[in-house]
Amino acid sequence: MLGLGSMGAGMCLLLAEHGYQLFGFDPNQGSVKKLLHDSKAAGLSVEVQSSYEQLCKQVKDGHGPGLFILSTPHGPAVDKLLKEMRPHLDRGDIIVDCGNEHWESTERRQQELSKDGIHLIGCGVSGGYQSARSGPSFSPGGEAEVLDKLMPFFKGIAAKDRQGRPCVRPVGPGSSGHYVKMVHNGIEQGMLSVLSEGWFILVHGLGLSYPAVADVFASWNRDGPLHDCFLIGIAADGLQARNPEGGGFEVDVVRDKVVQDVEDSEGTGNWACEEAMALHMPAATIVTAHMFRYASAYASDRKENREAASGVAALKPGRLRVQSRDDFVALLQRATYFSFLCCFVQGMDLLRAKDRDRGWGLDYTDIMQLWRGGCIIQADGVVDLLDDMYKRHERHRTDDVLADSEVAKELSSQYSAAKQVVLEAVRADLYVPAVSQSLEYYKYMTSTALPTQFMEAQLDYFGEHMFDTWDEPPGEPRTGSHHYEWKAARGKVDE
Ligand code: 6PG
């Protein structure tokens, strides 16, 4: 295991518990000491090495090719590590990169290493440090034969779903495993935003105490379409945590700034948005959630400007004017489900667009299985719905999730609840960026006549942009073959 931070160390202990002979490596002595301490306390055997040479020698000593698992920050750190390790690697060695790596870097490294017969698997690992210790969800991608060889290993240590099935599948070739993890994280950020908006509505809009909000989340997590949802489960738990010093609630200590290091603007959330742009996919909830996160850091870092703007705007989130709190909580539950479903629809359409582009040939019921346990976006009600949908489609794929009749029915039946929540929240100046964007997304994605008709006309007026007409079959990519001299034609038609 190369990289003994919280994820790497957790996986070390997990592997040792499963009887693997394990050697750890990390230049950070603090991490090494902590792992040795934790493994001793757990009665598990983990050895550490202090050079790549020793590590590679010991891993392979008499055992044939070695398996090297990376759990390190992405980007140049991995290139440096591979460069230094390379002289000690041999044909047949397998490297599994368990970091959140950009798919292009993974493909570049796969190509470079394959020249020497070294295999690189790009593997998403989800569930945070606690799942790393108890069994995460894995999304490994790379050469099929290598994935087959590794499957028993992954299956043994992966999280298990409610039926005891492991949350791992060979995802597909190349960088598809890391890409799937990036999509997972895009969906994750959408869900996190939706949930934070709901939390704020419950607390500030309805005036519920934290324990009461925790009860609401716990009941959502128990029954109804949001059952067995990891993020809702931890929401119910976390809201009960007390601050050891002040005696209040720990969540009140937390500033509203969601940290995203600008230097490290290459996180998975960013990549998911960049990919949506690159592939022209309208992942509105996912992108908006990311913008909300940016806004929180931007505003927080400019505290004085924020206060000045706030003074002028004089907008204070107020109480909702609703007749029954319980009825509104029920509406919010449905709006949350609606918005979560939109996050998944957008993520899956993005993934499918990439899959088509790269020719990966993914099986989407397999992807659903990855997300049934151990991962952050586990939401069994949503995943069951999509899984059933994929099973109905040829080769378990569809290019357009919204077009599926069952998904369409489900979203349509929740639309009015989401609309009411947005209307009331807007009236009370509460924040609903991701929920309202889900509503808009659904509305425009199911429309057959959008205001963009006028946008296209304007573009043609000033830029000779060219346009399609209603009586032509829709073309892809853009066919726009008509231009009109709008100005010259002004007033020519009496009406
Ligand atoms: C997981 C998480 C995990 C984490 C990311 C996102 O599946 O366990 O997605 O990978 O949430 O590190 O963090 P940033 O968005 O801050 O990059």
Side-chain angles (χ1 to χ4, degrees), residues 140-252:
E143 293 159 84
E145 318 79 73
V146 182
L147 290 176
D148 281 351
K149 206 187 269 186
L150 291 175
M151 240 355 92
F153 162 75
F154 278 129
K155 283 183 177 168
I157 57 171
K160 307 293 179 291
D161 69 9
R162 281 182 295 150
Q163 272 83 47
R165 297 168 301 188
C167 298
V168 60
R169 285 281 205 277
V171 170
S175 59
S176 55
H178 271 150
Y179 200 90
V180 163
K181 178 64 194 336
M182 179 205 76
V183 169
H184 166 286
N185 283 25
I187 296 172
E188 170 189 308
Q189 74 185 6
M191 292 170 77
L192 280 167
S193 188
V194 169
L195 217 46
S196 71
E197 293 162 30
W199 165 78
F200 200 89
I201 288 174
L202 291 168
V203 174
H204 298 276
L206 291 179
L208 298 188
S209 66
Y210 289 165
V213 176
D215 286 347
V216 167
F217 286 148
S219 75
W220 291 3
N221 199 32
R222 220 172 18 244
D223 307 304
L226 294 169
H227 72 91
D228 294 290
C229 170
F230 174 80
L231 285 173
I232 293 183
I234 64 164
D237 255 18
L239 279 174
Q240 299 177 53
R242 295 276 177 172
N243 174 250
E245 280 153 35
F249 288 94
E250 185 66 21
V251 71
D252 281 336

Side-chain angles (χ1 to χ4, degrees), residues 100 125-128 181 184-185 188 259-260 267-269 293 376:
N100 276 333
V125 177
S126 179
K181 178 64 194 336
H184 166 286
N185 283 25
E188 170 189 308
V259 180
Q260 168 95 46
T268 42
R293 185 174 167 169
I376 306 297

